[in-house]
Amino acid sequence: MSLTPQIGIMEITLYESGTSSIVGRDDVLKLSSNENPLGPPPAAVEAITKAAIEVNRYPSTDHAALRDAIAEVYELEASRIICGVGSDEVLQFVTQAFSGEGDEIIYTEHGFSMYPILAHMAGATPVKLPEVERVVDVDIILEAISEKTKIVFIANPANPTGTLVPDAELVRLADGLPAHVILVLDGAYVEFSEGYDGGKTLAATRPNVLMTRTFSKVYGLGGLRIGWGYGPQEMIDVMTRIRQPFNLSGVQLAAAEAAVRDPDWVRDCAKLNAEQRARLTGAMRQLGLACDDSEANFVLVRCVDKAEADAAEQALLNGGIIVRRPTSYGFPEGLRITVGDAEQTGRVIDALTRWREAG
Ligand SMILES: *Cc1c(COP(=O)(O)O)cnc(C)c1O
């Protein structure tokens, strides 16, 4: 090729998203992308309809109304919030603003696949560290920090494992990091984990901690692409310089504001998730399929090997159910199953029970 892409770009492996259809079936149940089984919140749908008639207008560039709403509901400082096209864009802001060629970005063994993609986008080097029993390990991270390290990415709860690093361990990590390293706490699944503050205290009090949140999971707005980050003012001000002035449409802003002002929705969805997650986890173990306790809205089932996982996946497909094979996350023997509502969870359990009985 005579065109020369920027350094790192050709190292990027394209992101794989969950599939959504099965040829010849119209009763497909998609449990491959950790989407909300209850759909979008009705208040957000109403706000979208209202905002639609004004799309001839450019949207707000400072996102003031949405940031104020988030600040109010989460008890944060509005000036320290930055909004993006999904939390993915906020992760991109921090990576692009604070790392480049020669720098290292740390993530872990089963960490979210966007982290190495973002590192390469910035021309930095992604460094993948081992976990211990599918949990991020603070000592392993601290040992790997060097002058070159710029960012440490941790999703907590993690995807696809569903495991959580306890608060005290995160504090120990934040305490141990040198001042030139940013700790990013990706809180995409925070609302499903009871008792964890989602990194709020650390992001509020430390000069080098950023937390990110999304409207894609518990808020049921994955198709609309809205997320946000919270961190020290200085860090947010730097990130804002590379944010496009109109990155979020009026429709996105209106939907997110309506959703964030509907805390009952979050509570009800999280409650349903906790019930069905416990039921699914119990049923899987009953069938002899290993899984860790999940703190998120999915369960990572571990078969004995890839062949058994292939068979389990086929049994689910025969039942019209699509789940995610987290092969690229280091689990060829795994199935990541999004927790659905009661009826959907029943379908998963039935399909796998029939498969076990036939096997
Ligand atoms: C789903 C997910 C996100 C959120 O992505 P959006 O861009 O906000 O839709 C971020 N991090 C992890 C680990 C996720 O699984």
Side-chain angles (χ1 to χ4, degrees):
M1 185 158 75
S2 56
L3 302 175
T4 309
Q6 288 291 322
I7 203 147
I9 290 178
M10 299 313 286
E11 310 295 320
I12 294 173
T13 318
L14 292 185
Y15 182 86
E16 287 174 44
S17 73
T19 44
S20 53
S21 62
I22 304 174
V23 184
R25 282 197 84 124
D26 57 9
D27 62 341
V28 168
L29 171 56
K30 184 189 177 204
L31 297 177
S32 56
S33 297
N34 303 338
E35 294 153 343
N36 190 325
L38 300 182
V45 175
E46 195 180 316
I48 290 167
T49 312
K50 274 199 193 135
I53 59 171
E54 282 188 54
V55 292
N56 56 318
R57 306 284 179 203
Y58 270 89
S60 143
T61 174
D62 62 9
H63 308 153
L66 175 58
R67 287 191 296 117
D68 285 346
I70 293 170
E72 207 179 298
V73 171
Y74 286 89
E75 299 179 326
L76 301 170
E77 284 176 55
S79 68
R80 294 170 57 183
I81 297 168
I82 185 168
C83 302
V85 180
S87 51
D88 282 355
E89 195 187 30
V90 180
L91 300 172
Q92 183 181 340
F93 294 151
V94 70
T95 313
Q96 247 173 7
F98 293 100
S99 75
E101 203 181 336
D103 295 332
E104 292 183 352
I105 292 185
I106 287 179
Y107 70 114
T108 62
E109 199 176 349
H110 307 297
F112 188 39
S113 60
M114 277 306 293
Y115 306 149
I117 292 178
L118 293 168
H120 286 307
M121 274 171 76
T125 306
V127 176
K128 181 158 85 171
L129 300 178
E131 297 180 0
V132 174
E133 293 285 309
R134 299 169 301 283
V135 182
V136 171
D137 186 87
V138 166
D139 292 312
I140 294 174
I141 293 175
L142 286 174
E143 270 165 40
I145 301 290
S146 74
E147 277 306 304
K148 290 183 184 168
T149 311
K150 288 293 161 67
I151 298 174
V152 175
F153 280 118
I154 295 178
N156 208 35
N159 172 18
T161 58
T163 59
L164 188 77
V165 182
D167 266 324
E169 282 294 280
L170 290 179
V171 170
R172 199 161 71 77
L173 175 59
D175 285 344
L177 286 179
H180 70 275
V181 179
I182 296 174
L183 172 61
V184 177
L185 296 173
D186 175 343
Y189 301 99
V190 159
E191 297 87 352
F192 301 109
S193 175
E194 232 177 299
Y196 170 48
D197 87 343
K200 190 173 129 173
T201 309
L202 284 172
T205 56
R206 304 298 178 113
N208 59 342
V209 178
L210 176 74
M211 81 167 174
T212 60
R213 300 291 184 93
T214 183
F215 285 94
S216 301
K217 305 286 158 54
V218 79
Y219 283 103
L221 295 172
L224 215 48
R225 317 300 306 127
I226 320 140
W228 55 279
Y230 189 73
Q233 192 69 59
E234 203 187 344
M235 189 194 295
I236 298 297
D237 290 346
V238 172
M239 289 163 63
T240 300
R241 288 170 184 269
I242 57 168
R243 179 178 67 76
Q244 288 201 27
F246 303 110
N247 63 328
L248 291 176
S249 70
V251 173
Q252 285 166 298
L253 292 167
E257 190 184 336
V260 84
R261 290 192 187 282
D262 188 1
D264 289 352
W265 173 264
V266 173
R267 202 199 46 225
D268 293 349
C269 293
K271 182 166 174 283
L272 173 72
N273 180 72
E275 288 161 4
Q276 296 307 315
R277 182 177 64 194
R279 178 182 168 212
L280 182 63
T281 305
M284 294 302 101
R285 289 175 183 159
Q286 204 93 61
L287 292 173
L289 296 165
C291 44
D292 295 317
D293 286 332
S294 169
E295 296 280 331
N297 66 341
F298 53 82
V299 171
L300 176 65
V301 170
R302 286 172 286 121
C303 295
V304 292
D305 56 18
K306 179 182 177 299
E308 190 186 57
D310 288 346
E313 182 183 27
Q314 193 52 55
L316 289 164
L317 286 170
N318 294 345
I321 303 161
I322 303 175
V323 301
R324 179 73 74 91
R325 290 298 295 276
T327 307
S328 61
Y329 287 94
F331 293 109
E333 78 288 19
L335 302 165
R336 192 195 66 190
I337 307 174
T338 302
V339 175
D341 62 17
E343 189 259 334
Q344 295 168 343
T345 304
R347 267 179 78 177
V348 172
I349 296 171
D350 286 349
L352 290 175
T353 303
R354 273 197 303 273
W355 163 65
R356 279 303 213 209
E357 284 168 359

PDB file of all heavy atoms in Angstrom, residues 191-213:
ATOM      1  N   GLU A 191     -24.185  -0.773  37.931  1.00  0.00           N
ATOM      2  CA  GLU A 191     -25.540  -0.763  38.513  1.00  0.00           C
ATOM      3  C   GLU A 191     -26.022  -2.164  38.870  1.00  0.00           C
ATOM      4  O   GLU A 191     -26.983  -2.318  39.620  1.00  0.00           O
ATOM      5  CB  GLU A 191     -26.533  -0.119  37.535  1.00  0.00           C
ATOM      6  CG  GLU A 191     -26.235   1.341  37.221  1.00  0.00           C
ATOM      7  CD  GLU A 191     -25.261   1.527  36.061  1.00  0.00           C
ATOM      8  OE1 GLU A 191     -24.694   0.506  35.583  1.00  0.00           O
ATOM      9  OE2 GLU A 191     -25.050   2.673  35.647  1.00  0.00           O
ATOM     10  N   PHE A 192     -25.374  -3.188  38.320  1.00  0.00           N
ATOM     11  CA  PHE A 192     -25.793  -4.562  38.608  1.00  0.00           C
ATOM     12  C   PHE A 192     -25.075  -5.134  39.827  1.00  0.00           C
ATOM     13  O   PHE A 192     -25.324  -6.255  40.229  1.00  0.00           O
ATOM     14  CB  PHE A 192     -25.509  -5.457  37.398  1.00  0.00           C
ATOM     15  CG  PHE A 192     -26.208  -5.009  36.147  1.00  0.00           C
ATOM     16  CD1 PHE A 192     -25.509  -4.450  35.095  1.00  0.00           C
ATOM     17  CD2 PHE A 192     -27.591  -5.150  36.025  1.00  0.00           C
ATOM     18  CE1 PHE A 192     -26.154  -4.040  33.939  1.00  0.00           C
ATOM     19  CE2 PHE A 192     -28.253  -4.745  34.877  1.00  0.00           C
ATOM     20  CZ  PHE A 192     -27.531  -4.180  33.829  1.00  0.00           C
ATOM     21  N   SER A 193     -24.130  -4.365  40.374  1.00  0.00           N
ATOM     22  CA  SER A 193     -23.324  -4.854  41.489  1.00  0.00           C
ATOM     23  C   SER A 193     -23.714  -4.112  42.757  1.00  0.00           C
ATOM     24  O   SER A 193     -23.477  -2.917  42.876  1.00  0.00           O
ATOM     25  CB  SER A 193     -21.841  -4.618  41.171  1.00  0.00           C
ATOM     26  OG  SER A 193     -21.059  -4.978  42.272  1.00  0.00           O
ATOM     27  N   GLU A 194     -24.293  -4.829  43.667  1.00  0.00           N
ATOM     28  CA  GLU A 194     -24.792  -4.173  44.872  1.00  0.00           C
ATOM     29  C   GLU A 194     -23.659  -3.809  45.826  1.00  0.00           C
ATOM     30  O   GLU A 194     -22.771  -4.620  46.078  1.00  0.00           O
ATOM     31  CB  GLU A 194     -25.776  -5.107  45.596  1.00  0.00           C
ATOM     32  CG  GLU A 194     -27.096  -4.451  45.894  1.00  0.00           C
ATOM     33  CD  GLU A 194     -28.065  -5.424  46.541  1.00  0.00           C
ATOM     34  OE1 GLU A 194     -28.393  -6.445  45.884  1.00  0.00           O
ATOM     35  OE2 GLU A 194     -28.458  -5.185  47.680  1.00  0.00           O
ATOM     36  N   GLY A 195     -23.674  -2.579  46.299  1.00  0.00           N
ATOM     37  CA  GLY A 195     -22.710  -2.204  47.327  1.00  0.00           C
ATOM     38  C   GLY A 195     -21.421  -1.589  46.814  1.00  0.00           C
ATOM     39  O   GLY A 195     -20.699  -0.954  47.562  1.00  0.00           O
ATOM     40  N   TYR A 196     -21.107  -1.743  45.526  1.00  0.00           N
ATOM     41  CA  TYR A 196     -19.890  -1.148  44.966  1.00  0.00           C
ATOM     42  C   TYR A 196     -20.218   0.275  44.516  1.00  0.00           C
ATOM     43  O   TYR A 196     -21.236   0.494  43.881  1.00  0.00           O
ATOM     44  CB  TYR A 196     -19.412  -2.005  43.788  1.00  0.00           C
ATOM     45  CG  TYR A 196     -18.301  -1.407  42.948  1.00  0.00           C
ATOM     46  CD1 TYR A 196     -17.163  -0.868  43.537  1.00  0.00           C
ATOM     47  CD2 TYR A 196     -18.396  -1.380  41.559  1.00  0.00           C
ATOM     48  CE1 TYR A 196     -16.155  -0.326  42.752  1.00  0.00           C
ATOM     49  CE2 TYR A 196     -17.390  -0.846  40.776  1.00  0.00           C
ATOM     50  CZ  TYR A 196     -16.270  -0.312  41.376  1.00  0.00           C
ATOM     51  OH  TYR A 196     -15.275   0.220  40.602  1.00  0.00           O
ATOM     52  N   ASP A 197     -19.378   1.234  44.831  1.00  0.00           N
ATOM     53  CA  ASP A 197     -19.701   2.634  44.484  1.00  0.00           C
ATOM     54  C   ASP A 197     -19.302   3.005  43.060  1.00  0.00           C
ATOM     55  O   ASP A 197     -19.435   4.154  42.640  1.00  0.00           O
ATOM     56  CB  ASP A 197     -19.123   3.607  45.529  1.00  0.00           C
ATOM     57  CG  ASP A 197     -17.680   4.018  45.232  1.00  0.00           C
ATOM     58  OD1 ASP A 197     -17.012   3.333  44.423  1.00  0.00           O
ATOM     59  OD2 ASP A 197     -17.224   5.012  45.815  1.00  0.00           O
ATOM     60  N   GLY A 198     -18.797   2.035  42.319  1.00  0.00           N
ATOM     61  CA  GLY A 198     -18.519   2.267  40.907  1.00  0.00           C
ATOM     62  C   GLY A 198     -17.309   3.132  40.657  1.00  0.00           C
ATOM     63  O   GLY A 198     -17.150   3.668  39.565  1.00  0.00           O
ATOM     64  N   GLY A 199     -16.478   3.288  41.664  1.00  0.00           N
ATOM     65  CA  GLY A 199     -15.279   4.099  41.487  1.00  0.00           C
ATOM     66  C   GLY A 199     -15.510   5.565  41.793  1.00  0.00           C
ATOM     67  O   GLY A 199     -14.611   6.398  41.645  1.00  0.00           O
ATOM     68  N   LYS A 200     -16.721   5.884  42.269  1.00  0.00           N
ATOM     69  CA  LYS A 200     -17.099   7.284  42.496  1.00  0.00           C
ATOM     70  C   LYS A 200     -16.186   7.982  43.503  1.00  0.00           C
ATOM     71  O   LYS A 200     -15.694   9.092  43.248  1.00  0.00           O
ATOM     72  CB  LYS A 200     -18.557   7.303  42.978  1.00  0.00           C
ATOM     73  CG  LYS A 200     -19.184   8.659  43.024  1.00  0.00           C
ATOM     74  CD  LYS A 200     -20.669   8.530  43.347  1.00  0.00           C
ATOM     75  CE  LYS A 200     -21.032   9.433  44.497  1.00  0.00           C
ATOM     76  NZ  LYS A 200     -22.480   9.484  44.748  1.00  0.00           N
ATOM     77  N   THR A 201     -15.911   7.328  44.611  1.00  0.00           N
ATOM     78  CA  THR A 201     -15.085   7.968  45.645  1.00  0.00           C
ATOM     79  C   THR A 201     -13.671   8.217  45.132  1.00  0.00           C
ATOM     80  O   THR A 201     -13.116   9.305  45.323  1.00  0.00           O
ATOM     81  CB  THR A 201     -15.034   7.078  46.906  1.00  0.00           C
ATOM     82  OG1 THR A 201     -16.378   6.742  47.266  1.00  0.00           O
ATOM     83  CG2 THR A 201     -14.374   7.805  48.062  1.00  0.00           C
ATOM     84  N   LEU A 202     -13.111   7.218  44.444  1.00  0.00           N
ATOM     85  CA  LEU A 202     -11.755   7.391  43.917  1.00  0.00           C
ATOM     86  C   LEU A 202     -11.704   8.484  42.855  1.00  0.00           C
ATOM     87  O   LEU A 202     -10.818   9.345  42.866  1.00  0.00           O
ATOM     88  CB  LEU A 202     -11.226   6.073  43.344  1.00  0.00           C
ATOM     89  CG  LEU A 202     -10.771   5.029  44.361  1.00  0.00           C
ATOM     90  CD1 LEU A 202     -10.452   3.709  43.675  1.00  0.00           C
ATOM     91  CD2 LEU A 202      -9.553   5.531  45.138  1.00  0.00           C
ATOM     92  N   ALA A 203     -12.687   8.484  41.952  1.00  0.00           N
ATOM     93  CA  ALA A 203     -12.694   9.498  40.880  1.00  0.00           C
ATOM     94  C   ALA A 203     -12.911  10.895  41.458  1.00  0.00           C
ATOM     95  O   ALA A 203     -12.432  11.888  40.921  1.00  0.00           O
ATOM     96  CB  ALA A 203     -13.770   9.174  39.856  1.00  0.00           C
ATOM     97  N   ALA A 204     -13.623  10.954  42.565  1.00  0.00           N
ATOM     98  CA  ALA A 204     -13.919  12.261  43.175  1.00  0.00           C
ATOM     99  C   ALA A 204     -12.730  12.814  43.946  1.00  0.00           C
ATOM    100  O   ALA A 204     -12.588  14.023  44.085  1.00  0.00           O
ATOM    101  CB  ALA A 204     -15.136  12.140  44.089  1.00  0.00           C
ATOM    102  N   THR A 205     -11.868  11.915  44.438  1.00  0.00           N
ATOM    103  CA  THR A 205     -10.841  12.379  45.376  1.00  0.00           C
ATOM    104  C   THR A 205      -9.400  12.259  44.877  1.00  0.00           C
ATOM    105  O   THR A 205      -8.506  12.870  45.456  1.00  0.00           O
ATOM    106  CB  THR A 205     -10.935  11.588  46.705  1.00  0.00           C
ATOM    107  OG1 THR A 205     -10.836  10.184  46.408  1.00  0.00           O
ATOM    108  CG2 THR A 205     -12.256  11.853  47.408  1.00  0.00           C
ATOM    109  N   ARG A 206      -9.168  11.465  43.836  1.00  0.00           N
ATOM    110  CA  ARG A 206      -7.792  11.258  43.384  1.00  0.00           C
ATOM    111  C   ARG A 206      -7.484  12.104  42.154  1.00  0.00           C
ATOM    112  O   ARG A 206      -8.348  12.295  41.309  1.00  0.00           O
ATOM    113  CB  ARG A 206      -7.542   9.779  43.054  1.00  0.00           C
ATOM    114  CG  ARG A 206      -7.843   8.828  44.186  1.00  0.00           C
ATOM    115  CD  ARG A 206      -6.956   9.102  45.372  1.00  0.00           C
ATOM    116  NE  ARG A 206      -7.281   8.212  46.478  1.00  0.00           N
ATOM    117  CZ  ARG A 206      -6.452   7.260  46.930  1.00  0.00           C
ATOM    118  NH1 ARG A 206      -5.263   7.084  46.377  1.00  0.00           N
ATOM    119  NH2 ARG A 206      -6.827   6.509  47.940  1.00  0.00           N
ATOM    120  N   PRO A 207      -6.220  12.556  42.012  1.00  0.00           N
ATOM    121  CA  PRO A 207      -5.863  13.378  40.850  1.00  0.00           C
ATOM    122  C   PRO A 207      -5.681  12.573  39.567  1.00  0.00           C
ATOM    123  O   PRO A 207      -5.522  13.152  38.496  1.00  0.00           O
ATOM    124  CB  PRO A 207      -4.525  14.005  41.272  1.00  0.00           C
ATOM    125  CG  PRO A 207      -3.956  13.049  42.261  1.00  0.00           C
ATOM    126  CD  PRO A 207      -5.110  12.419  42.972  1.00  0.00           C
ATOM    127  N   ASN A 208      -5.695  11.244  39.664  1.00  0.00           N
ATOM    128  CA  ASN A 208      -5.392  10.441  38.471  1.00  0.00           C
ATOM    129  C   ASN A 208      -6.354   9.272  38.260  1.00  0.00           C
ATOM    130  O   ASN A 208      -5.984   8.249  37.698  1.00  0.00           O
ATOM    131  CB  ASN A 208      -3.943   9.926  38.530  1.00  0.00           C
ATOM    132  CG  ASN A 208      -3.685   9.083  39.767  1.00  0.00           C
ATOM    133  OD1 ASN A 208      -4.453   9.145  40.727  1.00  0.00           O
ATOM    134  ND2 ASN A 208      -2.633   8.297  39.741  1.00  0.00           N
ATOM    135  N   VAL A 209      -7.605   9.421  38.736  1.00  0.00           N
ATOM    136  CA  VAL A 209      -8.580   8.344  38.521  1.00  0.00           C
ATOM    137  C   VAL A 209      -9.773   8.879  37.724  1.00  0.00           C
ATOM    138  O   VAL A 209     -10.345   9.921  38.047  1.00  0.00           O
ATOM    139  CB  VAL A 209      -9.079   7.747  39.860  1.00  0.00           C
ATOM    140  CG1 VAL A 209     -10.140   6.662  39.606  1.00  0.00           C
ATOM    141  CG2 VAL A 209      -7.911   7.156  40.653  1.00  0.00           C
ATOM    142  N   LEU A 210     -10.121   8.143  36.666  1.00  0.00           N
ATOM    143  CA  LEU A 210     -11.296   8.463  35.845  1.00  0.00           C
ATOM    144  C   LEU A 210     -12.269   7.300  35.947  1.00  0.00           C
ATOM    145  O   LEU A 210     -11.858   6.146  35.850  1.00  0.00           O
ATOM    146  CB  LEU A 210     -10.876   8.627  34.373  1.00  0.00           C
ATOM    147  CG  LEU A 210     -12.011   8.874  33.362  1.00  0.00           C
ATOM    148  CD1 LEU A 210     -12.538  10.296  33.473  1.00  0.00           C
ATOM    149  CD2 LEU A 210     -11.542   8.596  31.930  1.00  0.00           C
ATOM    150  N   MET A 211     -13.564   7.605  36.174  1.00  0.00           N
ATOM    151  CA  MET A 211     -14.532   6.510  36.076  1.00  0.00           C
ATOM    152  C   MET A 211     -15.414   6.768  34.870  1.00  0.00           C
ATOM    153  O   MET A 211     -15.683   7.912  34.501  1.00  0.00           O
ATOM    154  CB  MET A 211     -15.373   6.382  37.344  1.00  0.00           C
ATOM    155  CG  MET A 211     -16.523   7.336  37.467  1.00  0.00           C
ATOM    156  SD  MET A 211     -17.646   6.836  38.809  1.00  0.00           S
ATOM    157  CE  MET A 211     -18.761   8.246  38.786  1.00  0.00           C
ATOM    158  N   THR A 212     -15.830   5.684  34.207  1.00  0.00           N
ATOM    159  CA  THR A 212     -16.732   5.828  33.066  1.00  0.00           C
ATOM    160  C   THR A 212     -18.019   5.058  33.341  1.00  0.00           C
ATOM    161  O   THR A 212     -18.024   4.054  34.057  1.00  0.00           O
ATOM    162  CB  THR A 212     -16.094   5.312  31.760  1.00  0.00           C
ATOM    163  OG1 THR A 212     -15.776   3.931  31.902  1.00  0.00           O
ATOM    164  CG2 THR A 212     -14.847   6.098  31.416  1.00  0.00           C
ATOM    165  N   ARG A 213     -19.097   5.584  32.785  1.00  0.00           N
ATOM    166  CA  ARG A 213     -20.413   4.955  32.912  1.00  0.00           C
ATOM    167  C   ARG A 213     -21.093   4.972  31.543  1.00  0.00           C
ATOM    168  O   ARG A 213     -20.719   5.736  30.676  1.00  0.00           O
ATOM    169  CB  ARG A 213     -21.283   5.746  33.907  1.00  0.00           C
ATOM    170  CG  ARG A 213     -20.703   5.845  35.313  1.00  0.00           C
ATOM    171  CD  ARG A 213     -20.724   4.491  35.988  1.00  0.00           C
ATOM    172  NE  ARG A 213     -20.248   4.592  37.363  1.00  0.00           N
ATOM    173  CZ  ARG A 213     -21.064   4.777  38.414  1.00  0.00           C
ATOM    174  NH1 ARG A 213     -22.357   4.903  38.261  1.00  0.00           N
ATOM    175  NH2 ARG A 213     -20.552   4.830  39.634  1.00  0.00           N
TER     176      ARG A 213
END
